[in-house]
């Protein structure tokens, strides 16, 4: 955005500005989606341009990364970036050193270096997933069933690099703003990452508690902070109290934009959804109600929903399904992936 503004201020013509955006927008798209920046106004424009430019990129490292991380490398969407590209890039800094990811971006012309770089990031990402799974299971045990309106968890044995991931998983599981603290390299201090729920600005909520922190900052949905270890309990109590009036009134429940007869879910419908991309913070993917339908097959985390003669395959992360389940289904259309978000039996 800053480079774009400078180019406009300098009076660059459209051709030069288009060339600048062509070069920079893929990285802006990855960074904006990965960091949960609200995809609004100029940021949304850059992200949308960037997704198009990613598909055209001749950068060997990016090409190899897209092939490894995207459902369709020729047409990457925001979900591919959020759940495929970004986790692999971030895994380097979380598990070893960011230089591991930088090496891939330096492999613009070297096919072999690109292959090795992506293989390395894939390995680190798998290691990251195993580590997060282990530490989150331990975190859930420590939290128990009495979850406050604002959750603060101190994980003395968890790596610093996964604190934000653990906070995100807390939000998914408990539906309350969550902050995970881990030991700092500075004795007597802890660092933390926080994630919020829809409708609650975490920065503004934490601002009145600023005296507890040595440093803190971020945006509405994600923050980072540093504080003294001996103030954790005080922070835990005050954070929960400050969230009480808001968090319990905030709903994480997804609501349908409209009812969708599956016979309408044709190529034209999906082309129209593409016009709404990129999806992410500030521009959530749409969810539709598919009424009086039935699960006709289940395979691993995938299920097929049939309504009359039409059907659609959905990914089932949070909803337990079995064959012959009948009722109304809430399905989120996130890029090329359909995700089952709710079910009401009939």
């Amino acid at each position: 955005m800053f480079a774009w503004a400078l180019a406009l201020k300098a009076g660059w013509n459209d051709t030069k500005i288009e060339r600048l955006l062509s070069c920079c927008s893929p990285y802006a798209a990855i960074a904006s989606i990965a960091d949960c920046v609200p995809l609004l106004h100029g940021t949304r424009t850059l992200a949308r341009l960037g997704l198009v430019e990613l598909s055209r990129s001749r950068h060997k490292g990016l090409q190899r990364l897209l092939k490894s991380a995207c459902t369709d490398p020729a047409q990457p969407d925001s979900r591919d970036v959020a759940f495929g590209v970004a986790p692999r890039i971030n895994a380097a800094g979380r598990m070893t050193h960011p230089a591991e990811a930088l090496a891939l971006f330096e492999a613009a012309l070297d096919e072999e270096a690109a292959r090795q770089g992506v293989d390395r990031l894939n390995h680190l990402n798998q290691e990251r997933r195993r580590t997060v799974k282990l530490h989150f299971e331990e975190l859930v045990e420590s939290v128990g069933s009495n979850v406050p309106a604002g959750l603060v968890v101190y994980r003395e044995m968890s790596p610093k690099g996964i604190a934000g991931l653990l906070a995100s998983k807390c939000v998914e599981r408990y539906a309350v703003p969550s902050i995970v603290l881990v030991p700092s390299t500075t004795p007597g201090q802890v660092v933390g990452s926080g994630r919020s729920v829809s409708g609650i600005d975490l920065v503004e909520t934490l601002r009145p508690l600023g005296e507890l922190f040595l440093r803190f900052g971020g945006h509405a949905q994600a923050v980072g902070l540093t504080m003294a270890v001996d103030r954790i309990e005080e922070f835990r109590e005050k954070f929960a109290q400050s969230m009480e009036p808001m968090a319990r009134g905030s709903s994480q429940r997804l609501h349908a934009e409209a009812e969708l007869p599956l016979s309408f879910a044709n190529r034209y419908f999906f082309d129209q959804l593409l016009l709404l991309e990129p999806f992410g913070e500030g521009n959530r993917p749409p969810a539709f109600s598919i009424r009086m339908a039935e699960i006709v097959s289940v395979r691993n985390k995938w299920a097929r929903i049939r309504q009359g003669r039409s059907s659609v395959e959905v990914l089932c992360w949070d909803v337990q399904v079995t064959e012959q389940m009948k009722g109304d289904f809430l399905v989120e259309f996130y890029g090329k992936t359909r995700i089952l978000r709710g079910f009401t039996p009939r």
Side-chain angles (χ1 to χ4, degrees):
M1 291 290 290
F2 183 62
W4 190 1
L6 286 179
L8 291 171
K9 187 71 174 178
W12 285 19
N13 60 40
D14 290 346
T15 301
K16 290 181 69 176
I17 290 178
E18 287 176 9
R19 192 177 300 121
L20 171 70
L21 295 180
S22 175
C23 294
C24 297
S25 60
Y27 307 103
I30 293 173
S32 299
I33 295 170
D35 199 34
C36 299
V37 175
L39 297 177
L40 303 170
H41 313 302
T43 302
R44 182 178 185 274
T45 301
L46 268 181
R48 185 172 177 83
L49 289 172
L51 290 174
V52 174
E53 292 300 329
L54 271 175
S55 67
R56 301 172 178 170
S57 177
R58 296 183 179 180
H59 188 293
K60 299 299 183 183
L62 282 178
Q63 287 180 341
R64 178 72 67 164
L65 183 59
L66 293 180
K67 287 179 182 178
S68 177
C70 298
T71 307
D72 179 6
Q75 195 178 28
D77 58 34
S78 52
R79 190 174 193 278
D80 289 325
V81 173
F83 296 97
V85 173
R88 286 166 170 79
I89 295 172
N90 289 338
R94 297 186 191 282
M95 305 309 296
T96 56
H97 194 279
E100 299 267 14
L102 180 61
L104 176 71
F105 287 99
E106 291 176 337
L109 303 174
D110 190 330
E111 184 72 47
E112 179 59 21
R115 184 191 65 78
Q116 293 180 6
V118 170
D119 287 349
R120 176 61 175 159
L121 292 187
N122 283 338
H123 171 74
L124 290 173
N125 192 44
Q126 290 297 322
E127 183 180 341
R128 186 268 308 171
R129 292 175 67 179
R130 288 192 294 269
T131 302
V132 170
K133 183 176 184 294
L134 173 64
H135 284 269
F136 187 64
E137 288 173 351
E138 294 176 353
L139 182 153
V140 170
E141 288 186 12
S142 69
V143 170
S145 58
N146 187 20
V147 182
L151 180 63
V152 174
V153 182
Y154 178 41
R155 295 287 303 160
E156 192 170 2
M157 301 304 294
S158 292
K160 176 182 176 181
I162 67 169
L165 299 177
L166 293 176
S168 294
K169 291 184 75 65
C170 285
V171 171
E172 292 172 9
R173 185 179 185 95
Y174 302 117
V176 297
S178 303
I179 295 174
V180 175
L181 304 170
V182 297
S184 169
T185 54
T186 303
Q189 294 182 11
V190 295
V191 294
S193 287
R195 299 292 184 269
S196 192
V197 298
S198 178
I200 294 182
D201 187 324
L202 206 50
V203 170
E204 290 304 314
T205 306
L206 288 176
R207 204 177 299 281
L209 305 180
E211 64 174 18
L212 297 174
F213 312 129
L214 300 172
R215 289 185 296 277
F216 103 95
H219 54 80
Q221 294 296 301
V223 299
L225 58 89
T226 302
M227 63 186 301
V229 68
D230 58 10
R231 305 203 74 173
I232 291 176
E233 286 304 319
E234 181 183 2
F235 175 46
R236 180 179 285 121
E237 293 177 6
K238 289 185 175 180
F239 183 65
Q241 291 171 1
S242 68
M243 287 297 175
E244 190 67 42
M246 294 178 287
R248 297 307 183 191
S250 175
S251 175
Q252 285 285 89
R253 186 176 179 182
L254 201 62
H255 297 281
E257 308 287 346
E259 181 182 340
L260 175 67
L262 279 185
S263 59
F264 288 7
N266 52 27
R267 179 62 183 270
Y268 176 77
F269 171 77
F270 289 109
D271 286 345
Q272 293 298 300
L273 283 185
L274 284 176
L275 298 178
L276 303 178
E277 282 275 1
F279 298 121
E281 194 62 44
N283 185 38
R284 303 305 304 169
F288 296 95
S289 173
I290 301 173
R291 300 183 63 195
M292 300 181 68
E294 177 185 8
I295 297 286
V296 294
S297 66
V298 178
R299 176 177 53 84
N300 296 326
K301 286 290 185 178
W302 293 90
R304 182 163 291 278
I305 299 174
R306 184 175 65 197
Q307 184 191 60
R309 295 183 178 181
S310 303
S311 67
V312 64
E313 194 171 48
V314 298
L315 185 59
C316 308
W317 287 122
D318 306 316
V319 182
Q320 295 295 320
V321 297
T322 58
E323 291 185 10
Q324 300 183 336
M325 281 175 59
K326 296 180 181 180
D328 300 340
F329 298 86
L330 181 65
V331 179
E332 182 180 75
F333 286 69
Y334 196 161
K336 295 178 286 295
T337 303
R338 276 75 68 188
I339 307 169
L340 183 60
R341 294 300 191 187
F343 170 71
T344 303
R346 275 185 178 267

